[in-house]
Amino acid sequence: MVPLSVAWDDIGGLVDAHERFLAGSMVESDVRDSVLDSWKRCRSVGLEPHRLLVRYTGDVALDERFRHAADPVLADLTSSFADASMTIALCDGQGRMVERLGGDRQLRDRLDAVRFAPGFDASESVVGTNGVGTALAERGPVYIAGREHFADCLQPFACAGAPVRDPLSGRIQAVLDITCLRDQGDPAMVRMVREAARSIEARLLEQADLRERALLAAYRRADGHARDWPGQPDGLRPDLDGGALGRIDMAVLRAKAEELIASPHRTLDEVTLPSGRTATLLRRQVTGAAGETGVAVEARVLGGPRLRHLDMAPAPGETGIRAAPAGDGRLGSAVRRPAGSPVTHSTPAPQAPATTPVTAPDGEAAGAEGWLLLVGEPGVGRLAMLARRRLELLHDASVRIGTTLDVTRTAEELAEVTVPRFADFVAVDLPDSVLRGEEPEALGGRTALRRVAIRAVRRQPHNLYDVGDTVEYVPSTPQARSLETRQSVMEPVLTEADGWIAQDPERLTPVLEAGIHSLITVPLRARGTTLGVVSFYRSLQPDSYEDDDLSLAQELVGRAAICIDNARRYTREHNTALALQRSLLPRGRSEQSAVEVAYRYLPAQAGVGGDWFDVIPLSGARVALVVGDVVGHGLHAAATMGRLRTAVHNFCSLDLSPDDLLTHLDDLVGRLDRGEGWAAENSPDSGIVGATCLYAVYDPVSRRCTLTRAGHPLPAVVAPDGSVEFVDLPACPPLGLGGMPFETVELELAEGSRLVLYTDGLVEDRHRDIDAGLDDLRAVLAGADRSPEDTCEAVLDALLPARPGDDVALLVARTHSLGADRVAQWDLPSDPAVVSRSRAAVTAQLAEWGLEELTFTTELIASELVTNAIRHATGPVQLRLLRDRALICEVSDGSGTSPRLRRAQSTDEGGRGLFLVAQLTERWGTRYTPDGKVIWTEQPLPGRCR
């Protein structure tokens, strides 16, 4: 062994890292992860480096079986250190020292001074970071030197420790430690102590093999056991002319035999095999010559064809007992297992012997066969049964956890899978950021978590926190330590875990009294991020948690963590897309009085889509109603929807007719499909867009509605009497195909009619044909004169499932009319003399409406527009005033040319009239009609007249 320089203690700033850690500074880059985790655990239980209270127990001992395996290994290890100042410590599974060997007088005196001696407790929670306690806490080999020790008094030493496990149960039975002075330490000590621990484990396994052979020999010496079966004739011998027992049948037999061995009060079991035959298993007590006690299980199979027996030996490296027919003198012998392999005591799929037919109790003939199936200890049978159950639990967890992309539901699935098969009470705690889909912050002590899932065998969860409660763990609790160190924590005896009950003594003391006795906490970690913590409690199950349980809990939580993280990421993307889509949808109701509207938008459970709707006020008190649907889901569909909605608004500002507007929209979608948009050629957002649209314009003066569609479902019209008709619009292709004109339909609607526009997700899904959906919609709409809000509620309640598979947009508009008392119009000849008469008519009409305040500006506007129409246009001229939410003045003529606003020069004789109109009005514009055009203006009404 090559001594290291004392300077090793200074590498990476370790000299002052301990002080900086105690002061609360970050020391991650200066300290090994295992040491830093140990320091955090020591701090969480309140240890003080300069003051320790070491417990002493005077009767610490290990059982004779373990000492018989360990003594030769310790003797060899001690002799190898004869020339080195090294001491060897053997501690029990709780970290209490049983024996200390070797070392010179100086080293022994210094170890005695710090109470590193037999009887004293060296566990990490008592004396801080050290080879014994940290190896026990880490459940694996460790090396600690100098200032890596948490306690000041241990820093002059270097030590290496490793746990020693029972090879059958996997439980830590002892801890082996090598200690020397700091300047003589070497990391190679870890390899030496690990090899010594493995040697002890191998000797323990050899003892199990010797016990097996002794039990098998005792079984072989038993006389007449084959004739002990009820109803079996003497002299039964196998018939070698038959078939072989299948592997599946043998697997079932082995599993049932293991359960029989593990059950102390059962001696007989009857099993129905997958082949349809019936097997009877008999459990026998076996005692060896040296007093070894164990159990043998014999099997007899009844019914079905006769079977052939082949005396098969296990394959090389295989475990088990070779089977032979009971009483034929060819009983198998024990097969040596590789060191460290688990004991199952099962046969390697032997062939069952055939027997002479016997008469069953009901008089029917049946084939009976008997042979030795298993031999071993009841405890080993229990371990084999537990191992199989753990595998079954892992399989079920892989199937049942993560069936949805919902964080809360995934946490609930973890709890459902593990109760009651692994725990009697399970709690899953996550930060609110994970529930919102955000990146979780660094979790540690005093981090506020939300209890999102619990599952308990009993109806009441033992006075623990309930779902929805905020949980803030104090640093001493296993949960806080688990979050801090990012490692699992097991408390086999919860009554001894003072840090756990410190969370809330008043609340948790009754929990212990109710029977909860064991706890495992596992951090939910996925992709390097801690998402929360899971707590597994046992109360009704008598067995405390063991190392195998800890490994199983880590595997279960690891699988669940990946599913929860996937759900979190999906939630984030879904919320992002939903926020984008909602930001692109209308906010509030548009200011217009042509229709009373109500609308609903429901995103799909599978992802945000591209459905949208709009209510757009137009000139002349008209209103446009739009519903559209972009194919697909996700951000791309939502972004495309936003572009199309913006385009519709822009086209509406031009006062295009419905068919012209869809023609322009169709051209835009075609250009997006051709890659002329913002998506890159190879981007996942590129490709065919695909969209449908329904566009309707309603005029409250004429009560006429003009509709057109592009591949969209038919709108419904509900008359005031409750009758429902679907408007028979021509079936034009969806947007983006191009080449086909869009046709319109114009109809007159009675006041109070309801126009219902929707996307296909409302009436069609994979479980319902669109015709059936339309029939259902007709039935819901018919009858009572509901308001638009009530109509939306009734339609969604009747037609939508709880979790719709597609987005749904629904728009219901109840029509109003602008009565004759609010409309005035005059047909004017093309004569300049009528301008003065038009001003007089406007003045009189405004006086009748009580709008005298607007007389001057309205006279000027009407005079300018009528003059321009007479001078520059052709055909008949019409002046119209509408009193709606604003005062609307319209002048129409037969010309297709539109005036434009310009800045007149000081020398120009004209060009200022339209400029004045723009300054005196709130809005103005031009819309084209089949017979010409209309120049319109809007002025806000006085406050008292609105």
Side-chain angles (χ1 to χ4, degrees), residues 525-531 561-569:
R525 287 184 56 79
R527 302 178 177 95
T529 302
T530 302
L531 304 173
I562 294 296
C563 297
I564 288 177
D565 192 49
N566 290 339
R568 178 191 66 81
R569 291 166 178 257

Side-chain angles (χ1 to χ4, degrees), residues 765-899:
D765 56 38
R766 59 184 178 179
H767 303 297
R768 178 177 56 181
D769 182 75
I770 188 171
D771 291 335
L774 292 176
D775 290 341
D776 294 340
L777 178 60
R778 183 193 299 272
V780 176
L781 294 176
D785 182 20
R786 302 186 184 94
S787 66
E789 285 289 342
D790 293 341
T791 302
C792 287
E793 291 295 330
V795 169
L796 295 184
D797 290 344
L799 271 68
L800 280 192
R803 302 172 68 89
D806 193 8
D807 285 22
V808 174
L810 173 64
L811 178 63
V812 179
R814 179 158 62 184
T815 62
H816 299 301
S817 64
L818 207 61
D821 58 329
R822 306 179 69 179
V823 179
Q825 65 181 33
W826 301 271
D827 293 325
L828 305 175
S830 192
D831 182 358
V834 302
V835 175
S836 59
R837 295 202 299 270
S838 65
R839 287 198 298 267
V842 166
T843 300
Q845 187 62 53
L846 293 179
E848 182 179 341
W849 286 342
L851 300 177
E852 291 85 353
E853 296 179 27
L854 300 179
T855 300
F856 176 77
T857 55
T858 307
E859 280 186 346
L860 180 59
I861 292 169
S863 175
E864 180 62 30
L865 296 182
V866 170
T867 300
N868 284 344
I870 294 174
R871 293 182 58 184
H872 303 292
T874 60
V877 177
Q878 185 182 76
L879 171 63
R880 186 169 73 163
L881 292 180
L882 305 176
R883 182 186 175 187
D884 191 33
R885 301 178 67 88
L887 178 62
I888 302 171
C889 178
E890 296 181 343
V891 174
S892 60
D893 57 56
S895 173
T897 60
S898 174

Side-chain angles (χ1 to χ4, degrees), residues 9 15 47 124 306 327 392 522 602 793 855 859 867 924 931:
D9 209 22
V15 170
L47 288 184
E124 188 182 76
R306 296 183 179 183
E392 293 173 353
V522 185
L602 279 77
E793 291 295 330
T855 300
E859 280 186 346
T867 300
W924 75 279
D931 301 325

Side-chain angles (χ1 to χ4, degrees), residues 145-167:
R147 295 295 289 261
E148 290 183 327
H149 288 88
F150 188 80
D152 296 341
C153 62
L154 297 181
Q155 292 176 2
F157 304 98
C159 53
V164 183
R165 288 180 167 83
D166 186 321

